Amino acid sequence: MWQNFNRSFRPINVLFVCLAQVLSVRFLADINFQQHGLVGLFLLISVSVLTTLGAYISNDLLDEKRDEKNGKKRSLWVLMPTFSWILYILISIFSLYLAAMLSRQFMLSISIVLLFCLWYSYVLKNIAFLGNIVAAATTSFGIFVLYLLYDIDLILLLFFSTMSFLINYNRELVKDIIDLHGDEFDGAKTTPVFFGLPRTIEMLKFSLTSTFFILVFAAYYLSKNYFFGDLKILFNVYILFFLIFPIGFSYFLLMKKNVETKFQHISLYLKFVLYGGIILICLF
């Protein structure tokens, strides 16, 4: 039962979505909570949780056949589809209402996110390369949208949202490789189905390499301009062990042959980098 619950609600993912926004407001905003207060922060988190949950519901409902083919645990939403779609509509309306309480621009942004999430679940995820980009961009937008509400250092916001995009893009490629058979069965033209597995692996190698060097360059810039003394050493050590090493090890694992579970491991390492990047916010 817990596995079905975890598959449906992804509580760890939702927790880190909330944590990313709380830490961004607390440590990256120049005046912290003063612009919207704790009530505003609560509304922000509520909108994020509802939007994320809505995306999970629509995605699970539309992916039932391919998830079954890939041997994934059944989501609770597919057991009661009518109720789930009604819940999805109510969640979307309520999230827009809460977003409007913060600002019109924020409500417009959430409207765009909801539309893109639904469009992604119906169409875009079945289109090679484009689906991966949209999924990664939608996730990273959850961080960048804070710029509409808080006076946050734009360079830091760009760093964290860009790294979120790059890591999520790599994970989307890996997940498509893992789900290759189910996607083929469902007729989806995902990246590995359209380009073939060997070419997709080469694309993943290039993407991981690019992410690695972008992170190294960004870490050097941040270390030089934002940190001094012992905190600078702590920042460099943290970046090295919790972000750079896991990405490098993911590339090394990708090079190994005849390892059936390597893509599952790479996906876990990249998720570890995402979580590590969120915790990194506390150093600023």
Side-chain angles (χ1 to χ4, degrees):
M1 185 64 182
W2 164 250
Q3 290 180 327
N4 295 98
F5 175 86
N6 187 57
R7 171 80 175 84
S8 305
F9 290 91
R10 285 85 150 177
I12 301 300
N13 290 354
V14 173
L15 173 64
F16 273 91
V17 167
C18 299
L19 188 62
Q21 294 188 328
V22 171
L23 294 181
S24 295
V25 173
R26 173 62 183 84
F27 292 98
L28 303 184
D30 290 337
I31 54 178
N32 296 329
F33 296 107
Q34 294 178 18
Q35 283 166 295
H36 295 281
L38 291 176
V39 174
L41 182 63
F42 174 77
L43 291 175
L44 172 65
I45 294 172
S46 299
V47 171
S48 300
V49 170
L50 291 172
T51 304
T52 303
L53 181 59
Y56 290 156
I57 293 173
S58 62
N59 191 67
D60 288 351
L61 288 170
L62 295 170
D63 276 359
E64 180 182 2
K65 292 182 179 179
R66 69 176 69 177
D67 286 344
E68 184 178 351
K69 184 68 175 179
N70 287 319
K72 295 182 179 180
K73 292 289 183 181
R74 294 193 73 186
S75 169
L76 297 175
W77 310 121
V78 303
L79 301 178
M80 39 186 178
T82 302
F83 168 79
S84 298
W85 279 120
I86 294 174
L87 180 62
Y88 169 78
I89 294 172
L90 293 176
I91 283 175
S92 300
I93 294 174
F94 191 51
S95 64
L96 289 175
Y97 172 74
L98 295 180
M101 294 177 66
L102 286 170
S103 75
R104 291 182 179 179
Q105 295 89 339
F106 186 57
M107 184 189 70
L108 178 61
S109 300
I110 295 302
S111 301
I112 294 173
V113 169
L114 289 171
L115 289 174
F116 262 93
C117 286
L118 192 59
W119 190 21
Y120 169 80
S121 297
Y122 266 108
V123 179
L124 296 179
K125 73 178 303 177
N126 300 318
I127 301 177
F129 190 64
L130 180 61
N132 305 123
I133 291 179
V134 171
T138 302
T139 304
S140 64
F141 185 74
I143 297 176
F144 190 78
V145 75
L146 296 176
Y147 194 68
L148 297 175
L149 300 174
Y150 295 93
D151 186 15
I152 294 181
D153 188 315
L154 185 57
I155 291 178
L156 294 180
L157 206 60
L158 284 172
F159 167 73
F160 284 106
S161 58
T162 300
M163 291 312 303
S164 172
F165 171 80
L166 291 173
I167 300 301
N168 275 296
Y169 173 73
N170 285 301
R171 282 200 74 231
E172 288 298 320
L173 282 179
V174 172
K175 289 192 291 184
D176 278 354
I177 293 173
I178 295 172
D179 295 339
L180 174 60
H181 298 300
D183 292 340
E184 279 185 316
F185 173 80
D186 202 43
K189 299 297 181 182
T190 58
T191 303
V193 174
F194 186 81
F195 290 104
L197 184 58
R199 287 186 179 180
T200 303
I201 291 176
E202 292 302 315
M203 292 170 63
L204 181 57
K205 288 179 182 178
F206 175 78
S207 182
L208 283 172
T209 302
S210 301
T211 302
F212 180 89
F213 284 107
I214 290 173
L215 177 59
V216 170
F217 173 79
Y220 172 77
Y221 176 85
L222 294 176
S223 175
K224 183 178 179 180
N225 293 279
Y226 284 84
F227 295 96
F228 304 94
D230 293 339
L231 193 58
K232 185 173 187 176
I233 297 174
L234 177 61
F235 171 79
N236 289 327
V237 171
Y238 186 94
I239 284 280
L240 187 64
F241 283 96
F242 289 91
L243 277 73
I244 293 177
F245 276 178
I247 294 175
F249 191 72
S250 296
Y251 185 90
F252 169 77
L253 190 59
L254 189 62
M255 299 292 290
K256 298 184 69 175
K257 297 181 179 179
N258 302 322
V259 181
E260 294 183 0
T261 60
K262 68 179 180 180
F263 293 111
Q264 286 87 349
H265 291 153
I266 291 172
S267 180
L268 287 175
Y269 295 145
L270 293 177
K271 180 173 282 192
F272 177 81
V273 174
L274 281 174
Y275 294 163
I278 292 172
I279 303 301
L280 176 65
I281 297 174
C282 296
L283 295 182
F284 288 88

mmCIF file of all heavy atoms in Angstrom, residues 54 57-58 61 77 80-94:
data_model
loop_
_atom_site.group_PDB
_atom_site.id
_atom_site.type_symbol
_atom_site.label_atom_id
_atom_site.label_comp_id
_atom_site.label_asym_id
_atom_site.label_seq_id
_atom_site.Cartn_x
_atom_site.Cartn_y
_atom_site.Cartn_z
ATOM 1 N N GLY A 54 -1.209 18.047 -9.132
ATOM 2 C CA GLY A 54 -2.024 18.016 -10.335
ATOM 3 C C GLY A 54 -1.268 17.425 -11.519
ATOM 4 O O GLY A 54 -1.831 16.647 -12.309
ATOM 5 N N ILE A 57 -1.141 13.679 -11.121
ATOM 6 C CA ILE A 57 -2.421 13.035 -11.406
ATOM 7 C C ILE A 57 -2.633 12.884 -12.917
ATOM 8 O O ILE A 57 -2.937 11.790 -13.416
ATOM 9 C CB ILE A 57 -3.588 13.834 -10.789
ATOM 10 C CG1 ILE A 57 -3.527 13.776 -9.257
ATOM 11 C CG2 ILE A 57 -4.929 13.302 -11.281
ATOM 12 C CD1 ILE A 57 -4.540 14.666 -8.575
ATOM 13 N N SER A 58 -2.478 13.978 -13.663
ATOM 14 C CA SER A 58 -2.707 13.925 -15.109
ATOM 15 C C SER A 58 -1.702 13.006 -15.788
ATOM 16 O O SER A 58 -2.054 12.240 -16.700
ATOM 17 C CB SER A 58 -2.632 15.331 -15.711
ATOM 18 O OG SER A 58 -1.342 15.900 -15.523
ATOM 19 N N LEU A 61 -2.613 9.272 -15.026
ATOM 20 C CA LEU A 61 -3.826 8.846 -15.720
ATOM 21 C C LEU A 61 -3.572 8.589 -17.207
ATOM 22 O O LEU A 61 -4.102 7.639 -17.786
ATOM 23 C CB LEU A 61 -4.921 9.899 -15.552
ATOM 24 C CG LEU A 61 -5.549 10.001 -14.158
ATOM 25 C CD1 LEU A 61 -6.423 11.243 -14.068
ATOM 26 C CD2 LEU A 61 -6.359 8.758 -13.830
ATOM 27 N N TRP A 77 -4.365 6.880 -8.610
ATOM 28 C CA TRP A 77 -5.252 7.706 -9.441
ATOM 29 C C TRP A 77 -5.909 6.892 -10.544
ATOM 30 O O TRP A 77 -7.052 7.180 -10.920
ATOM 31 C CB TRP A 77 -4.462 8.867 -10.052
ATOM 32 C CG TRP A 77 -3.661 9.629 -9.059
ATOM 33 C CD1 TRP A 77 -2.310 9.825 -9.055
ATOM 34 C CD2 TRP A 77 -4.152 10.306 -7.890
ATOM 35 N NE1 TRP A 77 -1.924 10.568 -7.969
ATOM 36 C CE2 TRP A 77 -3.032 10.881 -7.234
ATOM 37 C CE3 TRP A 77 -5.414 10.483 -7.328
ATOM 38 C CZ2 TRP A 77 -3.141 11.605 -6.060
ATOM 39 C CZ3 TRP A 77 -5.534 11.205 -6.144
ATOM 40 C CH2 TRP A 77 -4.409 11.764 -5.534
ATOM 41 N N MET A 80 -9.325 5.086 -9.816
ATOM 42 C CA MET A 80 -10.576 5.864 -9.754
ATOM 43 C C MET A 80 -10.442 7.058 -10.692
ATOM 44 O O MET A 80 -10.343 8.207 -10.246
ATOM 45 C CB MET A 80 -10.849 6.320 -8.321
ATOM 46 C CG MET A 80 -9.602 6.742 -7.564
ATOM 47 S SD MET A 80 -9.914 7.103 -5.833
ATOM 48 C CE MET A 80 -8.238 7.509 -5.277
ATOM 49 N N PRO A 81 -10.399 6.822 -11.993
ATOM 50 C CA PRO A 81 -10.095 7.876 -12.978
ATOM 51 C C PRO A 81 -11.059 9.061 -12.975
ATOM 52 O O PRO A 81 -10.617 10.210 -13.079
ATOM 53 C CB PRO A 81 -10.138 7.120 -14.317
ATOM 54 C CG PRO A 81 -10.912 5.874 -14.047
ATOM 55 C CD PRO A 81 -10.631 5.515 -12.628
ATOM 56 N N THR A 82 -12.361 8.803 -12.854
ATOM 57 C CA THR A 82 -13.326 9.908 -12.866
ATOM 58 C C THR A 82 -13.099 10.842 -11.686
ATOM 59 O O THR A 82 -13.041 12.075 -11.841
ATOM 60 C CB THR A 82 -14.769 9.369 -12.836
ATOM 61 O OG1 THR A 82 -14.975 8.504 -13.956
ATOM 62 C CG2 THR A 82 -15.759 10.516 -12.890
ATOM 63 N N PHE A 83 -12.983 10.246 -10.502
ATOM 64 C CA PHE A 83 -12.713 11.042 -9.309
ATOM 65 C C PHE A 83 -11.404 11.800 -9.460
ATOM 66 O O PHE A 83 -11.300 12.972 -9.065
ATOM 67 C CB PHE A 83 -12.658 10.134 -8.084
ATOM 68 C CG PHE A 83 -12.119 10.807 -6.852
ATOM 69 C CD1 PHE A 83 -12.920 11.640 -6.085
ATOM 70 C CD2 PHE A 83 -10.793 10.621 -6.469
ATOM 71 C CE1 PHE A 83 -12.416 12.273 -4.953
ATOM 72 C CE2 PHE A 83 -10.283 11.251 -5.348
ATOM 73 C CZ PHE A 83 -11.095 12.076 -4.593
ATOM 74 N N SER A 84 -10.381 11.147 -10.027
ATOM 75 C CA SER A 84 -9.061 11.758 -10.157
ATOM 76 C C SER A 84 -9.083 12.962 -11.088
ATOM 77 O O SER A 84 -8.446 13.990 -10.808
ATOM 78 C CB SER A 84 -8.046 10.719 -10.661
ATOM 79 O OG SER A 84 -7.925 9.655 -9.745
ATOM 80 N N TRP A 85 -9.826 12.868 -12.195
ATOM 81 C CA TRP A 85 -9.915 14.010 -13.106
ATOM 82 C C TRP A 85 -10.674 15.173 -12.472
ATOM 83 O O TRP A 85 -10.306 16.343 -12.661
ATOM 84 C CB TRP A 85 -10.587 13.599 -14.419
ATOM 85 C CG TRP A 85 -9.669 12.917 -15.386
ATOM 86 C CD1 TRP A 85 -9.785 11.662 -15.896
ATOM 87 C CD2 TRP A 85 -8.487 13.491 -15.976
ATOM 88 N NE1 TRP A 85 -8.744 11.400 -16.759
ATOM 89 C CE2 TRP A 85 -7.944 12.504 -16.834
ATOM 90 C CE3 TRP A 85 -7.846 14.720 -15.866
ATOM 91 C CZ2 TRP A 85 -6.778 12.714 -17.566
ATOM 92 C CZ3 TRP A 85 -6.673 14.931 -16.595
ATOM 93 C CH2 TRP A 85 -6.150 13.939 -17.429
ATOM 94 N N ILE A 86 -11.725 14.862 -11.722
ATOM 95 C CA ILE A 86 -12.459 15.919 -11.004
ATOM 96 C C ILE A 86 -11.542 16.581 -9.987
ATOM 97 O O ILE A 86 -11.513 17.813 -9.853
ATOM 98 C CB ILE A 86 -13.709 15.336 -10.313
ATOM 99 C CG1 ILE A 86 -14.719 14.857 -11.358
ATOM 100 C CG2 ILE A 86 -14.354 16.380 -9.388
ATOM 101 C CD1 ILE A 86 -15.920 14.136 -10.769
ATOM 102 N N LEU A 87 -10.778 15.763 -9.256
ATOM 103 C CA LEU A 87 -9.830 16.298 -8.286
ATOM 104 C C LEU A 87 -8.787 17.166 -8.967
ATOM 105 O O LEU A 87 -8.409 18.230 -8.448
ATOM 106 C CB LEU A 87 -9.156 15.142 -7.539
ATOM 107 C CG LEU A 87 -8.127 15.530 -6.467
ATOM 108 C CD1 LEU A 87 -8.797 16.338 -5.351
ATOM 109 C CD2 LEU A 87 -7.444 14.292 -5.904
ATOM 110 N N TYR A 88 -8.328 16.732 -10.128
ATOM 111 C CA TYR A 88 -7.339 17.513 -10.890
ATOM 112 C C TYR A 88 -7.889 18.901 -11.239
ATOM 113 O O TYR A 88 -7.195 19.918 -11.091
ATOM 114 C CB TYR A 88 -6.950 16.764 -12.161
ATOM 115 C CG TYR A 88 -6.146 17.595 -13.126
ATOM 116 C CD1 TYR A 88 -4.793 17.818 -12.916
ATOM 117 C CD2 TYR A 88 -6.757 18.183 -14.234
ATOM 118 C CE1 TYR A 88 -4.052 18.597 -13.798
ATOM 119 C CE2 TYR A 88 -6.027 18.967 -15.115
ATOM 120 C CZ TYR A 88 -4.679 19.166 -14.894
ATOM 121 O OH TYR A 88 -3.951 19.951 -15.761
ATOM 122 N N ILE A 89 -9.129 18.947 -11.699
ATOM 123 C CA ILE A 89 -9.754 20.234 -12.054
ATOM 124 C C ILE A 89 -9.890 21.127 -10.828
ATOM 125 O O ILE A 89 -9.570 22.332 -10.872
ATOM 126 C CB ILE A 89 -11.130 19.993 -12.701
ATOM 127 C CG1 ILE A 89 -10.962 19.279 -14.044
ATOM 128 C CG2 ILE A 89 -11.877 21.318 -12.888
ATOM 129 C CD1 ILE A 89 -12.273 18.823 -14.662
ATOM 130 N N LEU A 90 -10.340 20.571 -9.718
ATOM 131 C CA LEU A 90 -10.500 21.348 -8.483
ATOM 132 C C LEU A 90 -9.150 21.859 -7.982
ATOM 133 O O LEU A 90 -9.031 23.019 -7.539
ATOM 134 C CB LEU A 90 -11.171 20.491 -7.410
ATOM 135 C CG LEU A 90 -12.635 20.100 -7.683
ATOM 136 C CD1 LEU A 90 -13.144 19.167 -6.587
ATOM 137 C CD2 LEU A 90 -13.508 21.340 -7.788
ATOM 138 N N ILE A 91 -8.143 21.006 -8.043
ATOM 139 C CA ILE A 91 -6.800 21.399 -7.618
ATOM 140 C C ILE A 91 -6.280 22.558 -8.474
ATOM 141 O O ILE A 91 -5.708 23.527 -7.964
ATOM 142 C CB ILE A 91 -5.837 20.194 -7.697
ATOM 143 C CG1 ILE A 91 -6.068 19.248 -6.516
ATOM 144 C CG2 ILE A 91 -4.375 20.657 -7.710
ATOM 145 C CD1 ILE A 91 -5.238 17.983 -6.578
ATOM 146 N N SER A 92 -6.489 22.473 -9.773
ATOM 147 C CA SER A 92 -6.021 23.525 -10.682
ATOM 148 C C SER A 92 -6.706 24.855 -10.393
ATOM 149 O O SER A 92 -6.059 25.913 -10.338
ATOM 150 C CB SER A 92 -6.269 23.104 -12.137
ATOM 151 O OG SER A 92 -5.584 21.915 -12.453
ATOM 152 N N ILE A 93 -8.022 24.811 -10.189
ATOM 153 C CA ILE A 93 -8.776 26.038 -9.898
ATOM 154 C C ILE A 93 -8.321 26.649 -8.574
ATOM 155 O O ILE A 93 -8.105 27.867 -8.473
ATOM 156 C CB ILE A 93 -10.290 25.742 -9.872
ATOM 157 C CG1 ILE A 93 -10.774 25.336 -11.266
ATOM 158 C CG2 ILE A 93 -11.069 26.957 -9.367
ATOM 159 C CD1 ILE A 93 -12.214 24.877 -11.310
ATOM 160 N N PHE A 94 -8.165 25.812 -7.569
ATOM 161 C CA PHE A 94 -7.787 26.308 -6.254
ATOM 162 C C PHE A 94 -6.368 26.869 -6.261
ATOM 163 O O PHE A 94 -6.085 27.880 -5.599
ATOM 164 C CB PHE A 94 -7.904 25.184 -5.223
ATOM 165 C CG PHE A 94 -7.800 25.657 -3.796
ATOM 166 C CD1 PHE A 94 -8.575 26.711 -3.338
ATOM 167 C CD2 PHE A 94 -6.922 25.048 -2.909
ATOM 168 C CE1 PHE A 94 -8.482 27.160 -2.027
ATOM 169 C CE2 PHE A 94 -6.824 25.478 -1.598
ATOM 170 C CZ PHE A 94 -7.598 26.538 -1.155
#
